[in-house]
Amino acid sequence: MRMKGLSLETIPSIHVPFRFFNTAPWMGVLAALVLLLEADSVFSSSWNPGLLAMTHLLTLGFISMVMLGAMFQIVPVLSGEMIPGGVLVATSVHILLCAGILSLVVGFYWQAYWLFSWAIPLLLSAFVVFLLPLASLLRRRIGGGDSIYSIRFAVLALLISIGLGLVRAANYAGLLQWAGLPNTISLHLGWGLGGWVLLLVMGVSYQVIPMFHVTPNYSTHMAKVLPTAVFSSMLLLTFVANPVIKGVAVLVLCLAATTYGIISIRLLRRRKRKVPDITARFWHMGLLSLIVAASLVMIIYFSDHLFPSIRWREKFYIGTGIILIFGFAVSVIMGMLQKIVPFLSYLHLQRSCMNNFDLLKTLPHMGEFVPPGFPRWQFRLHLAALLLLLVATVTGQLVELCGLLLIVDFSWLGLTLARASRLYLSTAKRVALHNQS
Amino acid sequence: MADEFILDAREMAPPEPFDKAIEILQHMQPGQYLRMLHRRVPYPLFDFCSALSLDYSFRETPAADFEIIIHFACDLETLRREGLL
């Protein structure tokens, strides 16, 4: 059933998503600092401690931080139901997640794996506190249509990815000696990026692309087939040993990601409003990266033996990871943040003017929260950072410059969001004073 | 016969539909109503309708858009007679 519309009566307090959104860019800055400090060796191997620290700062610190904040916002809005626990749950998740990520990353960076015995309970608590109330909502029959359908799969994928990640962390810390599933690392990566990130981006895009970019809706049929194909492929890759079936699963997974990318780009091309919108370019960059990454994953899986040396194979793996994490997920999230933060700010301020309509006219326009120049520069910086990251991976040169560019890229986003949040707070204060008088 | 204001918001991005609708609703008089075409149900607008003592109803159109009628309670019968509600 296609949802009837967004239910905005159940929106949580703006502080809930904003604390996650305002933290994430600075985790990205930390990732860039690691790149800068470890410039000599970071791209030497996919097992390099600096690279592992940087990857987790991006995947947990930036991507998951924003996605968790967005889930607190989008699930109630789509389903019309509040996530139990509200602000208390969000605050606990935010604190536990920040502490858990920092212990994990410091543990990786200084190879102080004993720190994982702190990181494991902290991250486990963060995700349990997040997932339990959410699961109590998602297992019920709620509204939200195609988006919630994909988000349910995304949450399951997150659960599996976290479980596998914690097993690996416990291994590092010497807390667990469990052979368990072979390829734990590949599955952890697959469920995290192919499952959690891709499925959640799919679910969210079914709403935000048609709404913010005024495009036709995704077809309901495809909106269900694609996440089902992604999730089923990941299940086959996890539990089936037959190499032919595994090969088919990789093919289906990559084709589903590519199809999603092509459909979304075609929808964006059919935008009904032809006014320039730089945030649509972030979607283009992200979706093109997804299509490229899906092709590279197929090359890795089916033609792994063709690489001339282990060194080149490592470069190829790292390059694919960069395109998927930085090119796809980070780009899409950067674009969405610059749309969602002004929208939420304006929406919350509107509602505070309910008793005094004259105040509505005094509110800053949505475009004032993030003026067009900010996303324009963000796009240039981000595109340059992506290209330079790829050059640095292949050549091993310009890594320091790349680190500096990444610092500017994430700091620019952090300052843009902080500026928007400040404008929201000062306006909310002014409106509250008017309402009191 | 009630006077109609029409607002086709199907190709507008947020918050334009809300801003334009509020502009009309603030100046609407009894005997007038707003017919809004939208791709979604504009829930935030309904809270403002209640604050302005206006009634509202919406229905999905065959093209999978929504037609929203916002009116004064006193015009309910007239709008029903005209087949709008």
Side-chain angles (χ1 to χ4, degrees):
Chain A
M1 187 186 81
R2 175 146 282 283
M3 62 170 281
K4 301 289 181 214
L6 295 175
S7 167
L8 290 145
E9 290 175 356
T10 49
I11 48 174
S13 159
I14 200 163
H15 304 288
V16 170
F18 271 25
R19 74 186 68 199
F20 290 88
F21 296 167
N22 278 290
T23 307
W26 305 107
M27 291 283 185
V29 171
L30 284 181
L33 276 174
V34 172
L35 180 64
L36 193 62
L37 295 172
E38 295 297 305
D40 292 342
S41 60
V42 73
F43 292 135
S44 60
S45 145
S46 46
W47 297 98
N48 182 281
L51 186 63
L52 289 173
M54 193 182 146
T55 306
H56 285 87
L57 276 165
L58 289 178
T59 52
L60 282 175
F62 184 80
I63 299 171
S64 294
M65 181 72 70
V66 173
M67 287 184 156
L68 259 56
M71 292 275 272
F72 279 110
Q73 180 71 40
I74 205 158
V75 171
V77 168
L78 291 179
S79 66
E81 311 241 5
M82 289 296 282
I83 295 179
V87 176
L88 182 65
V89 166
T91 309
S92 313
V93 171
H94 183 249
I95 293 169
L96 289 165
L97 191 63
C98 287
I101 292 166
L102 293 176
S103 337
L104 184 80
V105 165
V106 171
F108 271 127
Y109 187 74
W110 277 291
Q111 296 167 59
Y113 297 124
W114 60 269
L115 270 171
F116 288 3
S117 52
W118 286 87
I120 293 167
L122 285 167
L123 288 172
L124 189 64
S125 312
F127 286 106
V128 166
V129 173
F130 169 70
L131 286 171
L132 277 183
L134 189 70
S136 76
L137 193 64
L138 288 177
R139 69 188 174 83
R140 297 211 309 267
R141 194 178 171 80
I142 53 173
D146 306 334
S147 288
I148 290 290
Y149 183 82
S150 193
I151 287 172
R152 279 197 178 101
F153 280 135
V155 168
L156 282 173
L158 172 67
L159 203 63
I160 299 169
S161 180
I162 292 294
L164 292 166
L166 291 177
V167 166
R168 281 301 299 170
N171 246 310
Y172 266 107
L175 301 171
L176 181 73
Q177 297 300 325
W178 181 59
L181 285 167
N183 305 322
T184 318
I185 297 290
S186 311
L187 289 174
H188 168 60
L189 264 170
W191 280 108
L193 296 175
W196 160 240
V197 174
L198 177 59
L199 289 166
L200 192 59
V201 169
M202 277 182 179
V204 172
S205 68
Y206 295 160
Q207 285 303 320
V208 298
I209 288 187
M211 180 178 162
F212 285 123
H213 301 288
V214 197
T215 70
N217 283 322
Y218 283 81
S219 104
T220 299
H221 176 66
M222 290 311 276
K224 289 210 163 121
V225 166
L226 293 174
T228 310
V230 169
F231 194 81
S232 313
S233 309
M234 282 309 306
L235 279 180
L236 289 174
L237 284 167
T238 309
F239 294 111
V240 176
N242 184 311
V244 178
I245 295 177
K246 272 182 179 277
V248 172
V250 170
L251 203 62
V252 171
L253 176 67
C254 293
L255 285 178
T258 306
T259 309
Y260 164 72
I262 292 170
I263 289 175
S264 306
I265 288 172
R266 287 181 63 184
L267 279 182
L268 284 164
R269 285 208 177 138
R270 290 169 64 197
R271 283 170 60 211
K272 293 180 182 173
R273 283 161 61 90
K274 295 299 173 197
V275 289
D277 183 354
I278 202 79
T279 58
R281 286 202 201 167
F282 281 93
W283 273 107
H284 278 117
M285 195 199 309
L287 294 163
L288 282 172
S289 298
L290 176 66
I291 294 168
V292 172
S295 312
L296 297 179
V297 168
M298 282 198 278
I299 293 173
I300 288 172
Y301 193 84
F302 295 108
S303 316
D304 202 34
H305 56 285
L306 295 178
F307 289 109
S309 66
I310 294 174
R311 199 171 133 259
W312 274 101
R313 193 170 61 190
E314 282 291 294
K315 283 180 188 290
F316 203 82
Y317 284 2
I318 295 170
T320 305
I322 287 172
I323 294 173
L324 200 50
I325 294 170
F326 195 75
F328 166 57
V330 174
S331 304
V332 162
I333 287 171
M334 276 186 171
M336 275 199 283
L337 279 175
Q338 291 172 93
K339 248 336 189 200
I340 288 172
V341 166
F343 174 69
L344 289 179
S345 302
Y346 191 71
L347 185 71
H348 280 262
L349 288 171
Q350 267 180 358
R351 293 171 74 81
S352 63
C353 297
M354 199 92 79
N355 299 321
N356 188 348
F357 276 53
D358 290 338
L359 282 175
L360 275 173
K361 291 179 195 129
T362 70
L363 294 183
H365 194 265
M366 218 170 100
E368 288 176 52
F369 288 94
V370 177
F374 284 76
R376 200 174 300 130
W377 274 104
Q378 187 77 62
F379 184 79
R380 290 170 186 155
L381 287 167
H382 190 62
L383 179 61
L386 173 63
L387 296 176
L388 202 57
L389 260 174
L390 293 173
V391 170
T393 309
V394 175
T395 62
Q397 306 293 311
L398 305 171
V399 185
E400 288 92 348
L401 183 63
C402 198
L404 288 172
L405 196 53
L406 274 176
I407 290 176
V408 180
D409 186 21
F410 281 112
S411 301
W412 187 264
L413 180 70
L415 294 172
T416 302
L417 299 182
R419 184 189 177 280
S421 305
R422 259 205 322 274
L423 181 57
Y424 167 81
L425 287 173
S426 60
T427 313
K429 206 169 154 186
R430 178 170 58 80
V431 170
L433 278 172
H434 270 284
N435 282 337
Q436 276 168 15
S437 62
Chain B
M1 194 175 154
D3 289 339
E4 179 181 274
F5 288 102
I6 184 151
L7 175 59
D8 187 349
R10 286 174 296 181
E11 296 193 5
M12 291 180 189
E16 210 181 337
F18 176 90
D19 290 346
K20 293 226 155 104
I22 283 290
E23 215 173 289
I24 295 169
L25 295 177
Q26 276 186 283
H27 300 103
M28 216 163 74
Q29 303 289 327
Q32 298 176 322
Y33 69 95
L34 171 64
R35 187 160 79 92
M36 192 175 180
L37 299 171
H38 205 310
R39 300 170 70 217
R40 293 168 191 281
V41 181
Y43 286 103
L45 187 62
F46 294 160
D47 293 336
F48 284 82
C49 291
S50 306
L52 284 164
S53 308
L54 291 163
D55 287 351
Y56 56 85
S57 69
F58 63 89
R59 65 178 185 91
E60 196 165 356
T61 68
D65 295 318
F66 293 90
E67 183 190 61
I68 302 110
I69 304 285
I70 303 173
H71 60 92
F72 284 91
C74 57
D75 293 323
L76 183 69
E77 279 312 310
T78 314
L79 294 173
R80 274 193 181 146
R81 270 200 308 275
E82 290 176 15
L84 283 155
L85 296 176

